[in-house]
Amino acid sequence: MDNRNLRFNILTVIVYIIGIILLIRLFSLQIVHGEEYLEQSSSRLTRETTIFAARGNILDRNGNILAGTKTQYILELYKSKIDSNTLNNTLLEVIKVLEANGDTYKDSFPIELNPVRFGINGEKLKNWLTDNDLDENLSAKDVLQKYKEKYEINNDNIEEVRKIIGIRYGIEEERYTSMSAYIISKNISKESVAVFEERNLEFPGIAISTAPVRTYIKGSLASHTLGYIGGINEEELKNNKGYSMNDYIGKTGIEYVFEPYLRGENGTKQTDMSIDGTTTGEYITAEAVQGSDVVLTIDANLQQATETALKNNIQKISTGGFAEQRDVSAGAAVVLDVKTGEVLALASYPDFEPELFVNGISTEKWNEYTQGEKSALVNRTIQSAYAPGSIFKMVSAIAGLETGAITATETVYDTGVYPKGYNPRCWIYTREGRGHGALNVSGAIKNSCNYYFYEVITRMGIENLEKYATYFGLGQKTNIELPGEVSGTLAGKTLYDKLGETWYYGNSLSAVIGQAENNFTPLQMARYIAILANGGENIQVSIVKDIINSDGTSLGGNQIQNYAKEKLNLEEINKEDLDIKKENLDVVLEGMKSVTTESGGTAYGVFRDFDIEVGGKTGSAEAGDEVNAWFAGFAPYENPEIAIVVMVENGSHGSYTAEVVRDIVEEHFKLKEDIAEDVTAKPYTEQQN
């Protein structure tokens, strides 16, 4: 019992001692050093800011960076304990530094000077005055004076007053605190950074942060494939969790589709500063993680050669470099690996500069890019569908051979005017008043004889043509990992049944030569040529080769495809194997070879004496008042590696565009010698009636 009392007494003493120590400590904190600690806490602030993750790179198949990041300096203003006069003077000095170094800053105040006037009018001005509790009858000069008084600006220089108001108005609109900054400028020069750092004490509340910003290393190269990024808007913010209003997001192309992989994970930084805004210490509390790299299948050098060749060809046609001068300003070119379906080059003209969108594109440039139907932002390789004209005839030939409607050796005699249906004419009859005479299937492809194919469709019927065109992927999306791909349309009874219309024999006569409702994208046509060249094997088109995470791991091809299908709501492609006979493919390819290698071939003048044999086909397809020019080909003939399709809107003659294919083949196979240009072959237009 005595032991228990002893332990209890000892415990009681210990509790009293601890209590006395705590009381002494509290007395010291609150009474002895209270004012000192209060002063310290009142003069010290801590804020947490975001460390923006570097966006993942977009690379070509050889590891060349097409889209990377660079450091951007951001000028921020935090609220500090300074009076209005000091704030105004500070802002004016900030503006002087920025202007001296050619830097811009945010200013949305809608009053302009020289003379003083509103920068907006009509309903927009009325709403602005109402929103800011201003009388509708006030003049711009009156409003400027009211804001000068509101912000307590003691300055008689009207230009300086207007500049200070510009930033003060922005602060009022967006708000700022000692913990949350107002961004004065998202991109200032290193010269301005040096001034602000050297004269830190003269700029209370001013801070500079850095952020990685997207840069497109090779300018406009592959712009439609890469796409562009921009500041996130309200709708995107609503639909994408984990973003803030200061974030950037992919808007088009690969940047849009693979945004979750490219974005990365932001980190956080803690900053200690005095009450006047001077930074006293910084600590990283969570490291930023760079986004994943997306590796494309394209070859940057081949892409450059393709874009250059396409642009030069369009300019040559438009300036009368061939037999005539045409109003030409747009086109597309595609290069595919015939065995894998990988896109080696994807060019759409006109193109654009993706970097101009990063910090907000100017109105002038936007208007330039979006003018009329020739918008530079349209990816014509996948977002526009065109009548294929005569480059469709290889499908018609395969369908005729496979169904037994024609044989490889049988000839059809072209008299110039087909004696059935609406009596359509062969193009040569329109030009020369005669037909081609007797032709077999290879000869019909070489001479692009309409009459021959009128006979083919008469014998086999439209259903068979639809069947084989579908096998070659025409009228279907390729499921490339890019947004906005259209499926086009395949002319035939299936389409007319959906439309509730009747299909007539005359429609078949137009469809078999690539007209009627046949409208396909250049990428679809390239896939079709690749299947012809690889022995009839169906291929999956792809433009993304790999995704490499920041830790070095990579995604498998199936994961990439499955992700893209879900992101773009893609449907499975029909993979029915029609087991096309090799001998039938060979006879069609032989016809394509004669187009480029035999006298009288519609592209012979371009490929004569060329070091590599190219199988090809020209096409001139009517599209309203215009005639689009096509060339479809593959190389080398004996062991095909690449399929190439070129289309120039209103280019008139397919033979004109053959030069683009020649230049692409030359780059792909690294030819050493100069190739003499010869365009002596007489151009023609295949008239479709």
mmCIF file of all heavy atoms in Angstrom, residues 485-502:
data_model
loop_
_atom_site.group_PDB
_atom_site.id
_atom_site.type_symbol
_atom_site.label_atom_id
_atom_site.label_comp_id
_atom_site.label_asym_id
_atom_site.label_seq_id
_atom_site.Cartn_x
_atom_site.Cartn_y
_atom_site.Cartn_z
ATOM 1 N N GLU A 485 -10.481 12.542 -89.142
ATOM 2 C CA GLU A 485 -10.473 11.762 -90.386
ATOM 3 C C GLU A 485 -11.902 11.522 -90.865
ATOM 4 O O GLU A 485 -12.782 11.166 -90.081
ATOM 5 C CB GLU A 485 -9.770 10.419 -90.181
ATOM 6 C CG GLU A 485 -9.689 9.617 -91.475
ATOM 7 C CD GLU A 485 -9.016 8.256 -91.328
ATOM 8 O OE1 GLU A 485 -8.920 7.761 -90.190
ATOM 9 O OE2 GLU A 485 -8.599 7.692 -92.361
ATOM 10 N N VAL A 486 -12.121 11.713 -92.155
ATOM 11 C CA VAL A 486 -13.437 11.446 -92.744
ATOM 12 C C VAL A 486 -13.389 10.115 -93.487
ATOM 13 O O VAL A 486 -12.331 9.655 -93.901
ATOM 14 C CB VAL A 486 -13.865 12.577 -93.698
ATOM 15 C CG1 VAL A 486 -13.979 13.884 -92.947
ATOM 16 C CG2 VAL A 486 -12.897 12.718 -94.878
ATOM 17 N N SER A 487 -14.540 9.503 -93.642
ATOM 18 C CA SER A 487 -14.595 8.196 -94.307
ATOM 19 C C SER A 487 -14.755 8.322 -95.808
ATOM 20 O O SER A 487 -14.466 7.383 -96.549
ATOM 21 C CB SER A 487 -15.748 7.359 -93.734
ATOM 22 O OG SER A 487 -16.978 8.050 -93.911
ATOM 23 N N GLY A 488 -15.214 9.486 -96.277
ATOM 24 C CA GLY A 488 -15.483 9.607 -97.704
ATOM 25 C C GLY A 488 -16.711 8.796 -98.073
ATOM 26 O O GLY A 488 -17.448 8.314 -97.205
ATOM 27 N N THR A 489 -16.934 8.617 -99.369
ATOM 28 C CA THR A 489 -18.081 7.826 -99.821
ATOM 29 C C THR A 489 -17.686 6.923 -100.978
ATOM 30 O O THR A 489 -16.887 7.306 -101.837
ATOM 31 C CB THR A 489 -19.240 8.735 -100.286
ATOM 32 O OG1 THR A 489 -18.754 9.658 -101.281
ATOM 33 C CG2 THR A 489 -19.822 9.506 -99.123
ATOM 34 N N LEU A 490 -18.251 5.749 -100.983
ATOM 35 C CA LEU A 490 -18.063 4.791 -102.069
ATOM 36 C C LEU A 490 -19.357 4.713 -102.862
ATOM 37 O O LEU A 490 -20.410 4.367 -102.318
ATOM 38 C CB LEU A 490 -17.696 3.413 -101.504
ATOM 39 C CG LEU A 490 -17.593 2.267 -102.510
ATOM 40 C CD1 LEU A 490 -16.479 2.528 -103.528
ATOM 41 C CD2 LEU A 490 -17.346 0.939 -101.786
ATOM 42 N N ALA A 491 -19.286 5.055 -104.122
ATOM 43 C CA ALA A 491 -20.477 5.044 -104.970
ATOM 44 C C ALA A 491 -20.980 3.621 -105.172
ATOM 45 O O ALA A 491 -20.202 2.697 -105.387
ATOM 46 C CB ALA A 491 -20.161 5.688 -106.321
ATOM 47 N N GLY A 492 -22.293 3.440 -105.106
ATOM 48 C CA GLY A 492 -22.862 2.114 -105.330
ATOM 49 C C GLY A 492 -24.251 1.998 -104.757
ATOM 50 O O GLY A 492 -24.800 2.943 -104.178
ATOM 51 N N LYS A 493 -24.817 0.831 -104.892
ATOM 52 C CA LYS A 493 -26.178 0.603 -104.409
ATOM 53 C C LYS A 493 -26.293 0.724 -102.898
ATOM 54 O O LYS A 493 -27.321 1.158 -102.378
ATOM 55 C CB LYS A 493 -26.658 -0.783 -104.856
ATOM 56 C CG LYS A 493 -26.985 -0.874 -106.344
ATOM 57 C CD LYS A 493 -27.551 -2.242 -106.682
ATOM 58 C CE LYS A 493 -27.946 -2.322 -108.166
ATOM 59 N NZ LYS A 493 -28.495 -3.649 -108.520
ATOM 60 N N THR A 494 -25.222 0.315 -102.185
ATOM 61 C CA THR A 494 -25.254 0.396 -100.722
ATOM 62 C C THR A 494 -25.497 1.824 -100.271
ATOM 63 O O THR A 494 -26.327 2.093 -99.392
ATOM 64 C CB THR A 494 -23.936 -0.118 -100.120
ATOM 65 O OG1 THR A 494 -23.707 -1.462 -100.557
ATOM 66 C CG2 THR A 494 -23.979 -0.070 -98.597
ATOM 67 N N LEU A 495 -24.772 2.766 -100.877
ATOM 68 C CA LEU A 495 -24.944 4.178 -100.554
ATOM 69 C C LEU A 495 -26.346 4.649 -100.917
ATOM 70 O O LEU A 495 -27.011 5.325 -100.125
ATOM 71 C CB LEU A 495 -23.897 5.019 -101.296
ATOM 72 C CG LEU A 495 -24.036 6.538 -101.176
ATOM 73 C CD1 LEU A 495 -23.830 6.970 -99.727
ATOM 74 C CD2 LEU A 495 -23.060 7.248 -102.109
ATOM 75 N N TYR A 496 -26.817 4.273 -102.106
ATOM 76 C CA TYR A 496 -28.132 4.738 -102.558
ATOM 77 C C TYR A 496 -29.265 4.154 -101.731
ATOM 78 O O TYR A 496 -30.289 4.810 -101.517
ATOM 79 C CB TYR A 496 -28.319 4.413 -104.047
ATOM 80 C CG TYR A 496 -27.829 5.524 -104.952
ATOM 81 C CD1 TYR A 496 -26.603 6.138 -104.725
ATOM 82 C CD2 TYR A 496 -28.588 5.966 -106.024
ATOM 83 C CE1 TYR A 496 -26.148 7.155 -105.537
ATOM 84 C CE2 TYR A 496 -28.150 6.995 -106.850
ATOM 85 C CZ TYR A 496 -26.919 7.591 -106.599
ATOM 86 O OH TYR A 496 -26.482 8.609 -107.393
ATOM 87 N N ASP A 497 -29.092 2.920 -101.258
ATOM 88 C CA ASP A 497 -30.108 2.327 -100.387
ATOM 89 C C ASP A 497 -30.232 3.125 -99.090
ATOM 90 O O ASP A 497 -31.342 3.343 -98.582
ATOM 91 C CB ASP A 497 -29.751 0.875 -100.068
ATOM 92 C CG ASP A 497 -29.978 -0.049 -101.265
ATOM 93 O OD1 ASP A 497 -30.671 0.374 -102.215
ATOM 94 O OD2 ASP A 497 -29.452 -1.178 -101.247
ATOM 95 N N LYS A 498 -29.083 3.570 -98.566
ATOM 96 C CA LYS A 498 -29.105 4.373 -97.343
ATOM 97 C C LYS A 498 -29.793 5.712 -97.582
ATOM 98 O O LYS A 498 -30.458 6.252 -96.695
ATOM 99 C CB LYS A 498 -27.682 4.604 -96.837
ATOM 100 C CG LYS A 498 -27.005 3.364 -96.276
ATOM 101 C CD LYS A 498 -25.595 3.677 -95.810
ATOM 102 C CE LYS A 498 -24.901 2.430 -95.268
ATOM 103 N NZ LYS A 498 -23.501 2.716 -94.861
ATOM 104 N N LEU A 499 -29.611 6.235 -98.784
ATOM 105 C CA LEU A 499 -30.194 7.533 -99.125
ATOM 106 C C LEU A 499 -31.647 7.413 -99.584
ATOM 107 O O LEU A 499 -32.324 8.421 -99.794
ATOM 108 C CB LEU A 499 -29.368 8.204 -100.229
ATOM 109 C CG LEU A 499 -27.908 8.540 -99.882
ATOM 110 C CD1 LEU A 499 -27.175 9.058 -101.113
ATOM 111 C CD2 LEU A 499 -27.848 9.564 -98.763
ATOM 112 N N GLY A 500 -32.099 6.167 -99.786
ATOM 113 C CA GLY A 500 -33.456 5.949 -100.265
ATOM 114 C C GLY A 500 -33.625 6.316 -101.733
ATOM 115 O O GLY A 500 -34.713 6.705 -102.164
ATOM 116 N N GLU A 501 -32.548 6.167 -102.503
ATOM 117 C CA GLU A 501 -32.588 6.516 -103.918
ATOM 118 C C GLU A 501 -32.358 5.274 -104.780
ATOM 119 O O GLU A 501 -31.915 4.228 -104.299
ATOM 120 C CB GLU A 501 -31.534 7.585 -104.234
ATOM 121 C CG GLU A 501 -31.772 8.900 -103.487
ATOM 122 C CD GLU A 501 -30.721 9.947 -103.814
ATOM 123 O OE1 GLU A 501 -29.924 9.714 -104.751
ATOM 124 O OE2 GLU A 501 -30.681 10.995 -103.138
ATOM 125 N N THR A 502 -32.660 5.401 -106.054
ATOM 126 C CA THR A 502 -32.516 4.278 -106.992
ATOM 127 C C THR A 502 -31.198 4.387 -107.752
ATOM 128 O O THR A 502 -30.847 5.458 -108.259
ATOM 129 C CB THR A 502 -33.677 4.264 -108.003
ATOM 130 O OG1 THR A 502 -34.915 4.188 -107.282
ATOM 131 C CG2 THR A 502 -33.556 3.067 -108.947
#
